[in-house]
Amino acid sequence: MNETLERWSTRRAFILAVTGAAVGLGNIWRFPYITGENGGAAFLLLYIAFVLLLGLPVMMAEIMVGRAGRRSPVQSLGHLAAQAGASSRWRWLGLFGAFTVFCILSFYSVVSGWSIEFLVISINGGFVGASPAEIGAGFDAFLADPARMIFNHTLFLIMTMLVVSAGVAKGLERLNNLLMPLLYLLLLLLAGYAATTEGFGPALAWLFLPDVSAVTPLVVMHAMGHAFFTLAVGACALMAYGAYMPDHQSLPRAAGAVAVLDVTVALLAGIAIFSVVFAQGMDPGEGPGLMFVTLPIAFAQLPWGALWLSIFFLLLLLATWTSSINLAEPMVATLQGMGLKRGHAAAIVGLAVWLVGLLTVLSFSTLAEWRPMFGMNAFELVSTIPPEIFLPLGGLLIAIFAAWVMPEAAARRALGVGPGGFTLWRGLVRWVAIPLTLVVLVAGLA
Ligand code: PHE
């Protein structure tokens, strides 16, 4: 297959697209509950360290490979490996990435469907005047109802696949332009409101005063996995977007901007959510329901609560939409590269993801106690193993490919930096990111 000619129309469009991929459930839903389960501040600091030391340099590597190859991930890897005289098996890395995003999308779509449900409830004023206990019970009742969850999961996947089948660059640009600033603004407002509540102080202490005794190899591995997940790195999904990146744009600057935006969204969401947790005497480690219970509680007490809550779930839904489009893109691009029409590829991927997603749906009711591996049920498996093992593994291989296999000249051109910057980036990938990822993975698994 030849090089793609499609490009994001401006530099801003590229940054917004990658931010759209990065900012999603990972920041607003997963970050708070994983931080809660892993003891707070120590986890948070580890996660930020991993974003800087691993996430950023590997993100640059991944986008760089995409920009150098200008094809679907599988084909870019094959093409560049051939240029370097390396094994054509590097293409398998693209397939591994596609498998990873497949697993992730299967639960991502279900949880994004929860936001649809909550959006509808909010618009109908369903949370107004409800007590925290009622809100919690309502969420549990929803989880126990597979039919409602399947309906929302289906709707969300159709929304995603429609955009993907239209071709990513055009459809997404318009959405991203509007969405990110609005989401930011609303989170700022929420965090500002949180600052007026009595939970604010304890929330800050919980998030920023580390308790080092809580750190175990497993906690470190969770933090590393979350850094990859939230930045959308390690599945060749950003590689697919890099293929459409304009030639004359600084890649490090774009990646840096995305990382800053991504981490601040998570911090704002964390501050807002943990303020409610502590004001209400809730358990920070309460798990995947954390955001869906705390935020309605907070908004229910605000004037115009139903309106704010509706806006929030609408923005969350749009943010997860732009992420899931990115999750679907590498699979669709791969099938398209194998000769399928884009629309057909999107339909096949959508159907397969939908089917596997049913396992996640049922993990909250009928199949809750079905634990096929490691004592985890289906939802726990797909929401843990792919983000925490597959993404770091994929990121590791991408890093090796970019810093050791690709010809230096091609890498430097696609990275778009001077000799000094290139040496710095490559040194960071070769001697920090690669060994660190390996050590944490091995220690965590052991
Ligand atoms: N980064 C996305 C989020 O935080 C999830 C994602 C992971 C997207 C991997 C693409 C690839 O919601």
Side-chain angles (χ1 to χ4, degrees):
M1 188 171 125
N2 293 327
E3 287 191 11
T4 172
L5 294 174
E6 195 170 358
R7 295 285 182 275
W8 304 101
S9 63
T10 59
R11 292 162 199 233
R12 206 169 99 96
F14 175 75
I15 295 183
L16 281 172
V18 179
T19 311
V23 174
L25 288 178
N27 311 65
I28 299 171
W29 167 72
R30 193 175 194 270
F31 167 75
Y33 97 76
I34 294 274
T35 306
E37 286 181 344
N38 285 281
F43 174 86
L44 175 92
L45 296 178
L46 280 168
Y47 145 76
I48 291 181
F50 283 130
V51 164
L52 295 175
L53 293 175
L54 302 178
L56 255 182
V58 180
M59 181 194 246
M60 289 197 252
E62 185 172 333
I63 298 174
M64 181 272 273
V65 172
R67 177 149 81 168
R70 294 234 181 266
R71 291 163 173 82
S72 83
V74 174
Q75 289 157 330
S76 287
L77 286 162
H79 178 73
L80 296 170
Q83 265 184 4
S87 161
S88 65
R89 289 211 195 94
W90 279 105
R91 306 176 52 164
W92 287 91
L93 175 54
L95 290 178
F96 178 60
F99 175 68
T100 306
V101 286
F102 178 77
C103 300
I104 293 179
L105 190 54
S106 79
F107 80 82
Y108 207 93
S109 163
V110 174
V111 178
S112 301
W114 298 357
S115 331
I116 302 183
E117 178 81 14
F118 273 61
L119 173 62
V120 175
I121 301 179
S122 311
I123 293 176
N124 291 328
F127 295 113
V128 179
S131 72
E134 283 165 344
I135 290 174
F139 182 65
D140 292 338
F142 169 60
L143 289 187
D145 186 346
R148 269 156 88 198
M149 259 162 80
I150 291 174
F151 175 78
N152 291 311
H153 165 52
T154 311
L155 199 64
F156 185 77
L157 262 183
I158 292 176
M159 280 168 56
T160 300
M161 289 333 227
L162 279 179
V163 178
V164 176
S165 64
V168 161
K170 302 272 146 28
L172 261 186
E173 277 196 44
R174 284 188 212 118
L175 184 62
N176 282 327
N177 262 320
L178 193 73
L179 167 67
M180 281 301 142
L182 279 181
L183 182 66
Y184 229 80
L185 212 70
L186 194 73
L187 283 172
L188 268 174
L189 246 153
L190 246 185
Y193 163 69
T196 68
T197 67
E198 59 199 300
F200 186 63
L204 288 189
W206 160 261
L207 279 170
F208 298 108
L209 297 179
D211 167 13
V212 195
S213 68
V215 177
T216 63
L218 211 56
V219 168
V220 180
M221 190 170 86
H222 292 321
M224 178 172 82
H226 189 70
F228 280 100
F229 183 81
T230 187
L231 292 178
V233 170
C236 303
L238 292 185
M239 199 183 285
Y241 276 14
Y244 315 130
M245 185 177 184
D247 279 313
H248 305 287
Q249 175 167 17
S250 162
L251 208 163
R253 223 175 293 160
V258 171
V260 170
L261 286 168
D262 190 68
V263 170
T264 39
V265 168
L267 289 180
L268 289 174
I271 290 172
I273 287 170
F274 285 112
S275 296
V276 181
V277 168
F278 290 110
Q280 299 290 334
M282 294 165 66
D283 172 15
E286 99 148 38
L290 190 66
M291 179 208 72
F292 285 95
V293 176
T294 45
L295 291 188
I297 293 177
F299 280 113
Q301 296 166 347
L302 278 179
W304 301 86
L307 180 68
W308 291 120
L309 201 55
S310 309
I311 298 176
F312 171 79
F313 279 115
L314 180 66
L315 294 177
L316 176 65
L317 182 63
L318 296 176
T320 61
W321 195 19
T322 53
S323 296
S324 68
I325 290 165
N326 180 249
L327 285 163
E329 175 62 16
M331 295 185 272
V332 172
T334 303
L335 289 181
Q336 199 186 10
M338 285 158 44
L340 255 71
K341 283 213 185 85
R342 199 166 173 92
H344 293 169
I348 293 173
V349 169
L351 193 64
V353 170
W354 184 81
L355 277 173
V356 177
L358 297 182
L359 287 176
T360 288
V361 169
L362 297 177
S363 294
F364 294 94
S365 48
T366 335
L367 295 183
E369 288 311 316
W370 178 59
R371 302 179 181 279
M373 260 186 273
F374 313 119
M376 295 190 221
N377 69 24
F379 164 71
E380 287 159 354
L381 277 173
V382 282
S383 64
T384 307
I385 308 291
E388 298 190 354
I389 298 176
F390 295 175
L391 286 181
L393 204 60
L396 180 70
L397 293 169
I398 292 168
I400 294 176
F401 184 80
W404 290 105
V405 177
M406 253 180 91
E408 182 175 329
R412 182 180 310 169
R413 204 174 330 111
L415 202 60
V417 292
F422 183 76
T423 312
L424 181 70
W425 166 80
R426 198 173 60 178
L428 206 59
V429 174
R430 280 187 174 177
W431 311 116
V432 180
I434 293 174
L436 192 60
T437 310
L438 255 179
V439 168
V440 175
L441 261 183
V442 170
L445 290 177

